[in-house]
Amino acid sequence: MQQKIIWIVVLTFGILISFQSCKKNTDGVSIEEFYYINNSDYDIVINAFNNTDSGYIGNTYNLPVNGDFSQEIESMFGSKTGVVALCDSVSVVFGSNRIEHFLPNTESFFNILNHNNYEYFKKDKNHNSYTYSFTNDDYENAIDME
C-alpha cells in the first residue's frame, strides 16, 4: 500500500512538471509584425535575399505609391526566409531610376534591415509591431541606377 501511494505521488509530480515545462515553451513564442508604407512619390521594388545552404533565395515585393504591405513571423516556429526585415541583404529600387543596397550592419537611417529605423509598437507581452515608412528622403538617399 505504501509503495502504491509513493508511485501516485511521483506520477502526479511528473504530470505537474510536464504541464509547467509546456507552459514555459509556449510563453517563449513571440510574434513580430513588419509593416511597410510607401509615402514617397515613387513606386518601390524591394528585392530581399536570404543565404541558405543551397545558395541565395530572392523575393521581390512591389510597393506602389501610397501602398503598403505587411509580414508576420513567429520567433520560434516561423521561417525568416522572405521576411524583408530579417533578410541577409536587400535592394530598394525607387521608380526604376534610383537604388540603395543594405546589409544588416550598413549604417544608415534608411536601412530597412536595422530595426532601430522602424517605428516600434509593443502590442502585448509577446507581440511586437514594426513600421517603416518610405519617404522622398529615402529616394534622395539612394543612388542613380546606371
Side-chain angles (χ1 to χ4, degrees):
M1 182 70 166
Q2 181 71 12
Q3 187 176 12
K4 187 176 181 181
I5 293 173
I6 291 174
W7 278 109
I8 291 174
V9 170
V10 169
L11 182 60
T12 303
F13 183 71
I15 291 171
L16 292 174
I17 292 286
S18 69
F19 283 139
Q20 184 65 22
S21 66
C22 287
K23 183 180 177 192
K24 286 181 183 176
N25 287 340
T26 57
D27 282 347
V29 174
S30 67
I31 297 173
E32 294 189 340
E33 296 174 341
F34 298 94
Y35 295 95
Y36 301 92
I37 302 170
N38 186 355
N39 290 325
S40 77
D41 295 330
Y42 306 92
D43 289 336
I44 296 173
V45 175
I46 301 172
N47 297 303
F49 301 96
N50 287 95
N51 190 7
T52 65
D53 292 338
S54 58
Y56 278 95
I57 295 176
N59 292 292
T60 300
Y61 304 93
N62 294 305
L63 190 55
V65 174
N66 297 320
D68 60 53
F69 78 92
S70 64
Q71 298 180 305
E72 182 177 292
I73 186 169
E74 290 183 13
S75 64
M76 288 185 70
F77 305 113
S79 169
K80 74 174 198 162
T81 301
V83 179
V84 172
L86 304 176
C87 287
D88 295 315
S89 66
V90 68
S91 295
V92 181
V93 180
F94 295 89
S96 300
N97 61 352
R98 296 195 84 143
I99 190 167
E100 190 65 59
H101 305 284
F102 297 112
L103 298 171
N105 61 349
T106 302
E107 291 188 32
S108 172
F109 293 114
F110 305 101
N111 185 353
I112 63 174
L113 299 181
N114 182 343
H115 293 179
N116 293 327
N117 294 336
Y118 287 70
E119 182 180 326
Y120 171 76
F121 178 72
K122 186 168 192 69
K123 290 188 169 187
D124 61 40
K125 178 181 173 189
N126 295 333
H127 198 160
N128 300 311
S129 173
Y130 299 87
T131 301
Y132 189 91
S133 296
F134 291 96
T135 66
N136 286 335
D137 289 339
D138 291 272
Y139 175 83
E140 294 299 327
N141 185 66
I143 59 172
D144 289 332
M145 294 177 68
E146 296 177 17

